[in-house]
Amino acid sequence: MPGDFSSGVRLEIRITPADVGKRVSVRQVVQVTDGHPTFTDTVGVLASWDTGVVCITRRTGETVRIEEEALVAGKVVPPAPARRGGGTGVPAVTDEEIEAVASRAWPALETAPLGGWTLRAAGGFTRRANSVLVTGDPGVPLPRALAAVTGWYAERGLPAVLQVPDASPYADRLARAGWVREADSLVRTAPLVPLTSLPEPPDAPVELSRAPDAAWLAAYHRTGALAEAALKVVSGGPSVWFATAPGAIGRAVVEGPWVLFGAVEVAPERRRRGLATAVMGALARRAYDEGARAAYLQVEADNEAARALYDRLGFTDHHGYHYRRPPA
């Protein structure tokens, strides 16, 4: 892609890991021929900078991995302007593509590939982070794949669980193999622009931060005895933001054109005051500034209250998925 570093300008790396979440432009060396280097430029959101690898998510959603030693220049650049007359809808995306984005937004502490499947473990914190993401083909016959899955989780003291898109060809095969279906869930999507206009109650300002503070963690009901694993999972992802308001919290993860909303919780005594929408509005505005244009979330199919809220906010069903456990 064309770069935005002018020729003749002294190249400098003016970004650091502290710039994660910002839009950047970087130049890297891709090869050296007869002593002459060839460069390429990448523009996007700095998703992560860890263990010598820089990850940048382009506006298309593609994530580019760059070895730190290959960087020769880098700088923070202004957010991408919204395209006139466009950029407000939901991009076309397959079930498996959005499941992959969602998995990166709720990252397990340990992963392993099995063909196109991804085995995930996080010490038991949440079913999503401790299940196999069934996308593509495992690369071996199904009985062998299931045996490998069962053994991998047994080594970690965890039950074997599969996360399966409803439209997956393996859904019926797993049913015939006796794997038990549970926790039917939905992935729902919506244009982001309308969410940026959600109001903020004057008596409950929403504060955003890069890390969950003590108040956020105390309000998040799912940590329990797995607080250490929970902190690592909720803090992981390409560009993570935490929202805290009096009596309410939320979390968002930006990657390319997408932003995930999750962990939106309101204290019982503070409900029906617009706090959930206020939290989502604050997160939506920050995500829009980072280049996101579409939102998605995951909700259990039988959670009627949450589905009603998301209906009012313009979310529609993209696809369903469920979990499978081995035969009793």
Side-chain angles (χ1 to χ4, degrees), residues 14-160:
R14 300 199 297 270
I15 58 173
T16 72
D19 293 312
V20 167
K22 297 178 181 179
R23 188 167 181 261
V24 300
S25 179
V26 303
R27 173 166 290 183
Q28 64 170 315
V29 177
V30 291
Q31 65 180 18
V32 178
T33 304
D34 295 330
H36 299 285
T38 301
F39 304 99
T40 187
D41 296 341
T42 302
V43 178
V45 174
L46 181 59
S48 64
W49 189 332
D50 190 30
T51 61
V53 177
V54 176
C55 291
I56 295 176
T57 302
R58 288 175 166 157
R59 193 169 186 173
T60 61
E62 175 194 6
T63 296
V64 179
R65 293 171 54 87
I66 303 171
E67 295 294 332
E68 183 178 337
E69 61 185 16
L71 286 180
V72 294
K75 61 184 179 182
V76 175
V77 295
R83 290 171 291 178
R84 181 171 298 177
T88 60
V90 176
V93 63
T94 68
D95 298 0
E96 292 190 348
E97 287 170 342
I98 198 168
E99 287 290 356
V101 175
S103 185
R104 292 191 292 272
W106 193 256
L109 306 185
E110 183 181 4
T111 62
L114 180 62
W117 294 9
T118 304
L119 286 67
R120 305 172 295 186
F125 174 69
T126 71
R127 185 161 31 199
R128 199 186 327 165
N130 293 273
S131 59
V132 180
L133 180 58
V134 175
T135 55
D137 188 277
V140 295
L142 184 59
R144 286 180 55 192
L146 297 179
V149 165
T150 303
W152 193 83
Y153 282 97
E155 291 174 357
R156 289 153 182 80
L158 297 170

Side-chain angles (χ1 to χ4, degrees), residues 218-233:
Y220 186 54
H221 78 281
R222 303 178 71 180
T223 53
L226 301 173
E228 183 178 352
L231 179 60
K232 292 179 180 179
V233 172

